[in-house]
Amino acid sequence: MGEKYVVFRPVLCIFHWESDAFLGSVTDKIVMCGIIAYVGPREVRPILLDGLSRLEYRGYDSAGMATLADGQIDIQKKVGRIAELTRHVGRKAQPPANMGISHTRWATHGEPSDANAHPHADSTGKLVIVHNGVVENFQPLKRRLESEGHLFVSATDTEVLSHLIGRAYEDSTEPGDRRLTDAIRTALHSIKGTYGIAVMHQDHPGLIVGARRGSPLVLGVGEGEMFLSSDATALLPYTHKVVYLKDFDLTEIRADRFQIESLTHDTAEYQVEEITYAPDAAERGEYAHFMLKEIYEQPQTIENAIRGRLNSEEASAQLGGLNLTPAELRDIDRVIILGCGTALHAGMVGAQMLENMAFVAAETDFASEFRFKNRPLPRNSIFFAVSQSGETADTLGALREARRKGYRCLGICNNVGSTIARESDGGMYMHAGPEIGVAATKSFVSQVALFGLLTLTLGRMRQMSASTGHMIIQAFEKLPDQVRRILSTEDHIAAIAQKYAHVHSMLFLGRQYNYPIALEAALKLKEISYIHAAGFPASELKHGIIALIDPQTPTVVICPQDSLYEKNISTMQEIRARKGPIIAVATEGDEEIHHHADDVIYVPRTVEMLQPILNIIPLQLLSYHAALTLGRDVDKPRNLAKSVTVE
Ligand code: G6P
């Protein structure tokens, strides 16, 4: 270890998902793709392929790996899904290898192709790199390298980085393995942009070097083996001990040890944390798809979100991770909720809960829109960035914008150690376990439940009575069983999905709390079945949407027996008069509804503010079965990625 690198001794910290702690750090914009690297005693190829398949949600247009066997680097790459790479690798007889780096790609620079897939090599072919991120100044760098005689075989920005490291390696005078690390340091200092990388070199067997800035990278600490991964869940079968690397961390990993240093400071602090997922949490088990598994996990998702957070004595909730004193909570004048896609829809339910039940002004915005707006807001506004992954670039950008303006920003995240969690002033963890299906399901339910808890907390500090607080707590406690009851009607919902799966378009209507449910249900259908779908407030029907109604265009009307029931019945009559088929999501025991709808899906009754949690469940199943009927790739729909870390 060179003198200027003071490496802190590891501290073993048991990281509880129950913990509400949020961590602090600095990062920049990030992009997708997944990395997994291994060094240890085992045959590396199955480990890399297994890890890649767990990271495939991060991108799936091409994949590749580099291994070191018999003193030679071997690179295998294939356009398409991981299964293509697995077949490709399986066809070749190869000598045993105990170290390697691999990558699943979501194209940013250069089309998906074998040549553009990672890993990329330097001019000597001895150094290989996988990279998640964007080298923003790759064009001038590439021109310079080309003028020096470097030949490029791909259209990627990453290949520029491999050549830069290769060139720095030739120039480095550091002894032994430090030569590789030194070259990586030099090259990283000359690029602008983001990276999570893993690098190895033929002449440095047993060493893999990783570094990050703006793209997630997790170090997995095994028994006599080490890993690097873009996401801790990919490491679950191998180790539960991880170090979430911070921006500008650089790590050398070897089978029996690792060290972490900083690219910008003399010292690097880190913690070895223990992830407490069940070992099979990221496995599909008996379910045909992750999405279905995650839909079925929702009773537990709710239990996990509320565990230890309901306070019956005070008829309130306790949310330690908010990091706000009761006085600060009472002083909040306005809540602004930011997110994208499903997370934003959850926020829309949350904003209504907060206004109706906690008497706090609340609003939502697309994170991507908020970032570029002028928004005069009261000083005592508080922001919530909602994100399952905690890595969505638009949400992260919006969070930073709000913080820049001096507002307190909290996070609602599932992914512990994610960038949004780290950069927030506090927040609530979802404890939902890994969500792998690209279409978000359990994360939505969890986020809405958390807004329910927040409403309870803030409401009880304002005008909400103790009896209302108790009623909400009791309703929360019943929710898991009520969700189970809905899940037991899957066959009925599947039959309805099959009946309508071949339509060109489907409409979703709901009022108040159920308008965001209409949006979310339409999003689910679009995402995985590719059927055109749109959600609207039910009352908007007559203001234009009614022109779309015809016998081939079904409408899902979310119609609980609540204060707006009669209004929804009128909406259905307007649709029926135009011969539009209707699927109603109705309250158990409502027989009347059959006179107004062609198909009825029943859900149990709960308090109005929590009803959206129950109403979305059958609509998730409806989308799932429509997609299945159409033969779609449910867990990996076309063009989508689970975590959109590009702007
Ligand atoms: C992408 C996904 C959506 C998701 C959204 C927000 O668009 O395809 O399913 O809702 O990102 O993701 P986040 O991780 O921030 O909740």
Side-chain angles (χ1 to χ4, degrees):
M1 185 171 69
E3 245 186 68
K4 70 182 193 210
Y5 312 117
V6 181
V7 180
F8 274 51
R9 293 191 65 73
V11 185
L12 185 69
C13 141
I14 310 292
F15 202 102
H16 292 289
W17 274 77
E18 284 71 27
S19 161
D20 273 327
F22 267 60
L23 314 166
S25 94
V26 195
T27 59
D28 205 328
K29 118 181 152 176
I30 39 185
V31 296
M32 304 198 263
C33 303
I35 290 174
I36 185 124
Y38 172 84
V39 53
R42 297 196 240 185
E43 169 57 41
V44 68
R45 294 176 191 95
I47 294 176
L48 297 182
L49 289 168
D50 173 63
L52 286 179
S53 64
R54 289 168 202 277
L55 291 174
E56 204 175 10
Y57 72 88
R58 299 180 65 83
Y60 35 83
D61 63 40
S62 51
M65 64 165 71
T67 50
L68 185 61
D70 282 351
Q72 293 288 318
I73 294 278
D74 175 68
I75 301 180
Q76 303 294 336
K77 319 191 212 189
K78 217 62 209 148
V79 70
R81 300 279 167 94
I82 307 298
E84 295 299 323
L85 180 68
T86 306
R87 269 193 289 278
H88 180 69
V89 171
R91 274 198 289 268
K92 313 201 162 199
Q94 284 159 327
N98 307 111
M99 66 180 286
I101 60 176
S102 61
H103 186 270
T104 178
R105 180 167 186 252
W106 189 83
T108 55
H109 291 71
E111 58 166 11
S113 67
D114 288 356
N116 287 339
H118 298 214
H120 292 286
D122 73 338
S123 305
T124 66
K126 290 180 171 186
L127 180 145
V128 277
I129 179 171
V130 288
H131 170 220
N132 169 17
V134 173
V135 180
E136 287 168 9
N137 57 340
F138 88 104
Q139 270 165 334
L141 289 171
K142 188 170 182 176
R143 279 196 293 274
R144 208 166 75 211
L145 287 161
E146 277 173 337
S147 73
E148 291 170 11
H150 290 255
L151 293 177
F152 289 87
V153 294
S154 81
T156 65
D157 51 334
T158 303
E159 200 186 2
V160 172
L161 188 51
S162 63
H163 283 251
L164 274 181
I165 301 173
R167 191 179 65 171
Y169 183 84
E170 294 307 317
D171 294 344
S172 175
T173 54
E174 289 280 330
D177 281 349
R178 288 304 300 179
R179 185 171 170 192
L180 179 59
T181 311
D182 181 56
I184 294 168
R185 277 179 162 272
T186 308
L188 292 179
H189 282 305
S190 63
I191 64 157
K192 286 199 188 115
T194 54
Y195 50 82
I197 55 168
V199 184
M200 62 183 206
H201 195 290
Q202 195 168 296
D203 297 341
H204 300 274
L207 170 69
I208 297 175
V209 182
R212 77 160 269 184
R213 177 179 187 258
S215 302
L217 195 63
V218 181
L219 162 63
V221 184
E223 297 285 331
E225 54 186 4
M226 298 289 161
F227 305 79
L228 290 172
S229 171
S230 300
D231 180 337
T233 55
L235 301 177
L236 285 175
Y238 308 103
T239 180
H240 282 208
K241 283 189 192 151
V242 298
V243 179
Y244 293 99
L245 296 173
K246 299 187 296 304
D247 278 350
F248 302 108
D249 277 352
L250 180 145
T251 181
E252 289 184 356
I253 62 166
R254 294 173 178 80
D256 59 347
R257 65 189 188 280
F258 67 88
Q259 71 174 44
I260 298 174
E261 55 196 67
S262 169
L263 287 162
T264 51
H265 294 86
D266 290 343
T267 59
E269 275 181 74
Y270 64 89
Q271 290 187 318
V272 180
E273 296 172 3
E274 183 111 6
I275 26 178
T276 55
Y277 284 134
D280 62 350
E283 307 279 350
R284 203 158 32 79
E286 80 220 43
Y287 293 96
H289 296 96
F290 277 110
M291 183 184 178
L292 189 63
K293 177 184 179 230
E294 288 155 9
I295 290 173
Y296 269 84
E297 277 171 0
Q298 289 177 117
Q300 225 182 319
T301 307
I302 298 169
E303 281 160 6
N304 291 346
I306 63 178
R307 182 172 300 118
R309 287 168 164 170
L310 292 173
N311 180 344
S312 296
E313 225 162 88
E314 311 252 327
S316 183
Q318 51 215 15
L319 300 168
L322 297 181
N323 294 340
L324 293 169
T325 63
E328 287 170 326
L329 288 171
R330 261 181 225 109
D331 277 353
I332 296 171
D333 284 333
R334 185 174 285 265
V335 176
I336 297 100
I337 303 166
L338 304 171
C340 301
T342 293
L344 181 64
H345 296 155
M348 291 170 79
V349 178
Q352 291 193 46
M353 285 179 181
L354 288 166
E355 295 210 326
N356 292 343
M357 305 300 289
F359 312 97
V360 187
E363 60 186 272
T364 53
D365 205 348
F366 296 97
S368 54
E369 287 291 305
F370 170 82
R371 299 178 62 182
F372 304 107
K373 269 183 188 167
N374 292 333
R375 279 305 323 271
L377 289 164
R379 270 304 2 135
N380 275 353
S381 297
I382 191 154
F383 281 77
F384 276 89
V386 189
S387 174
Q388 187 282 131
S389 62
E391 302 290 354
T392 299
D394 284 322
T395 311
L396 180 59
L399 169 85
R400 289 178 176 160
E401 185 61 23
R403 289 196 82 193
R404 186 171 297 120
K405 292 179 170 146
Y407 294 105
R408 181 102 59 149
C409 295
L410 306 180
I412 295 188
C413 295
N414 193 27
N415 213 344
V416 174
S418 60
T419 313
I420 290 175
R422 286 171 184 272
E423 294 200 20
S424 304
D425 297 308
M428 294 180 271
Y429 275 124
M430 292 160 54
H431 308 312
E435 188 179 66
I436 309 290
V438 166
T441 51
K442 64 176 178 175
S443 62
F444 176 80
V445 156
S446 181
Q447 288 155 359
V448 175
L450 291 183
F451 277 114
L453 296 175
L454 182 70
T455 301
L456 199 51
T457 307
L458 297 187
R460 290 288 292 126
M461 294 178 161
R462 292 171 172 75
Q463 289 94 318
M464 186 193 286
S465 68
S467 58
T468 304
H470 279 302
M471 195 178 72
I472 294 170
I473 289 180
Q474 280 161 13
F476 258 125
E477 284 166 345
K478 283 193 199 140
L479 277 181
D481 274 339
Q482 291 179 316
V483 173
R484 284 187 192 101
R485 227 153 68 213
I486 300 170
L487 294 173
S488 71
T489 65
E490 183 186 349
D491 289 349
H492 170 65
I493 299 164
I496 298 174
Q498 282 149 16
K499 179 170 162 190
Y500 295 105
H502 294 281
V503 298
H504 287 295
S505 180
M506 205 182 279
L507 304 174
F508 292 80
L509 302 179
R511 286 168 200 266
Q512 298 289 303
Y513 288 121
N514 290 306
Y515 163 49
I517 298 306
L519 294 178
E520 175 58 12
L523 178 65
K524 287 293 85 93
L525 191 67
K526 279 184 277 216
E527 283 181 322
I528 58 167
S529 73
Y530 319 143
I531 298 172
H532 172 263
F536 303 98
S539 54
E540 280 295 297
L541 177 75
K542 52 194 176 296
H543 300 298
I545 299 140
I546 199 160
L548 298 174
I549 302 293
D550 67 21
Q552 282 75 47
T553 309
T555 303
V556 173
V557 182
I558 305 159
C559 181
Q561 270 178 335
D562 61 12
S563 51
L564 295 164
Y565 181 73
E566 298 302 331
K567 299 242 178 273
N568 280 324
I569 297 291
S570 306
T571 302
M572 290 202 242
Q573 280 166 347
E574 287 160 13
I575 298 168
R576 278 228 141 163
R578 276 92 188 166
K579 303 203 164 29
I582 295 179
I583 305 155
V585 177
T587 306
E588 274 175 1
D590 176 5
E591 291 303 328
E592 166 72 18
I593 197 83
H594 286 283
H595 300 297
H596 307 286
D598 299 84
D599 294 281
V600 177
I601 299 169
Y602 282 119
V603 296
R605 184 196 298 272
T606 181
V607 293
E608 267 190 42
M609 74 170 226
L610 297 180
Q611 194 66 53
I613 292 185
L614 297 180
N615 293 350
I616 192 61
I617 312 279
L619 298 176
Q620 294 167 341
L621 284 169
L622 189 79
S623 304
Y624 174 78
H625 282 284
L628 218 55
T629 308
L630 295 171
R632 308 295 194 221
D633 190 343
V634 172
D635 281 336
K636 298 188 195 77
R638 70 183 181 202
N639 304 340
L640 299 181
K642 177 105 190 117
S643 177
V644 181
T645 50
V646 278
E647 294 176 354

